[in-house]
Amino acid sequence: MTAARRTLTPTDLAPYARTLGHTLDGVTRLRGGSKKGVYRLTFRDRSTAVAYVWSPDEDLWDAGPADPRDPFSHASGLDLFTAAAHRLAAAGVRAPRLLHADPSHTHLPADVALVEDLPGGTLEDLLDGDAAVETGVLERTAALLDTLHACTGPRFGKVAVVDNGGSSYGGSCEAVVAERALSDLDELPARDPRAAAAHPQLAEAIGALAAQVQPRTGPPTLIHGELGPDHVRVTPDGDLALIDIEGLMYFDVEWEHVFLRQRFGRHYDALRTDDTVGLDEARLRLYRLATHLSLVAGPLRLLDVGDFHDPEFMRGIAEHHLGLALSFLESAS
């Protein structure tokens, strides 16, 4: 297990304030950021910015080396962030504006980015509140999805790899998802007797669902990859911006919609846009089971190696999705 994260101090972050021509007055660690440190910097003139800090000390996953060609490899790092920020800007989708990027490790043993501090809360903060407010912000989120998903890439993979001409991972989106689902499944028997008992049936279900997916000839779609309401910031004037964008990739749009449906729940219907018309039901079924398995293995893996602040929350996610994976077998029988 990794040691508890040390919160960076004004002394640690003052040099980055100076790159923006400011004097640092205070530092606050912000909620979230299991793969990076996220800090609000308050300057002497009361303006603010946000610092993203990528270092092993800030990454609770202890993921080790990853193949950047794999669209599902550990989505953490300055290169991934800057490539995603540039791609979203070109697509007309807002993300926190990049103010300064420092890969030099001069002041900290870490890559650091300074981005604009967007006032307001997240979309998650506004849901289950005033119905009129919900309707308006969900309509704007649906429009954002239309804009995002109208963009395509030459092949599937992380934006940072594809847009820089990197080599392809090979295979197909559905093959990668099936492979990842089997890998996640193989982690579970040692962790839970219910998963051990159901392992053969779940492995068979993954193979059967993958076999039902027909090859796709169209280009892959630009997707966020983990787009929950907590990853959409809403400014006081109602503008929307995507955060935690390092996983931005070109992939099957069905992967995005499975995650949207999981995270938005009863609000998902409001997000149905033009791109939902042609969704492939066979892909959706495979990706749904794969997502459940990922959301069992991932949280349990994090609890094994990390210093997550709310372990019961993570255990709850794993328990919920294990139940859904097992009920998937019942519904398929």
Side-chain angles (χ1 to χ4, degrees), residues 14-243:
Y16 300 98
R18 289 195 289 271
T19 66
L20 301 182
H22 286 285
T23 300
L24 188 61
D25 193 51
V27 170
T28 306
R29 183 191 280 279
L30 299 183
R31 170 177 171 261
S34 68
K35 297 176 183 176
K36 62 180 179 288
V38 183
Y39 297 87
R40 173 173 288 115
L41 310 184
T42 301
F43 304 129
R44 188 71 54 80
D45 65 0
R46 310 319 298 165
S47 63
T48 59
V50 169
Y52 294 153
V53 181
W54 291 275
S55 74
D57 290 342
E58 294 281 5
D59 191 336
L60 299 182
W61 292 87
D62 192 25
D67 183 350
R69 299 173 304 159
D70 179 356
F72 294 112
S73 64
H74 196 52
S76 180
L78 178 61
D79 290 345
L80 294 179
F81 175 80
T82 54
H86 293 320
R87 184 65 185 90
L88 289 173
V93 175
R94 187 173 180 183
R97 183 167 52 90
L98 180 62
L99 305 175
H100 177 72
D102 185 358
S104 71
H105 293 204
T106 301
H107 308 295
L108 287 173
D111 288 349
V112 177
L114 301 182
V115 303
E116 67 174 322
D117 185 11
L118 296 174
T122 67
L123 179 53
E124 187 173 49
D125 299 328
L126 297 180
L127 298 182
D128 298 318
D130 182 274
V133 172
E134 281 185 11
T135 298
V137 75
L138 287 169
E139 287 176 350
R140 294 194 296 279
T141 304
L144 181 153
L145 288 171
D146 266 339
T147 301
L148 181 69
H149 295 161
C151 301
T152 59
R155 60 186 183 280
F156 75 86
K158 282 189 168 68
V159 161
V161 175
V162 174
D163 285 359
N164 288 316
S167 59
S168 174
Y169 189 66
S172 63
C173 293
E174 62 271 19
V176 172
V177 170
E179 177 185 350
R180 178 175 183 253
L182 289 169
S183 177
D184 286 335
L185 176 62
D186 286 344
E187 292 186 25
L188 300 184
R191 301 175 183 273
D192 191 288
R194 294 166 296 174
H199 184 280
Q201 293 87 353
L202 286 166
E204 182 179 354
I206 292 166
L209 290 171
Q212 294 170 18
V213 177
Q214 297 300 308
R216 174 168 279 164
T217 57
T221 300
L222 183 64
I223 68 171
H224 179 280
E226 292 186 348
L227 190 50
D230 55 331
H231 290 159
V232 183
R233 290 201 67 83
V234 185
T235 66
D237 60 1
D239 202 6
L240 307 181
L242 299 185
I243 60 173

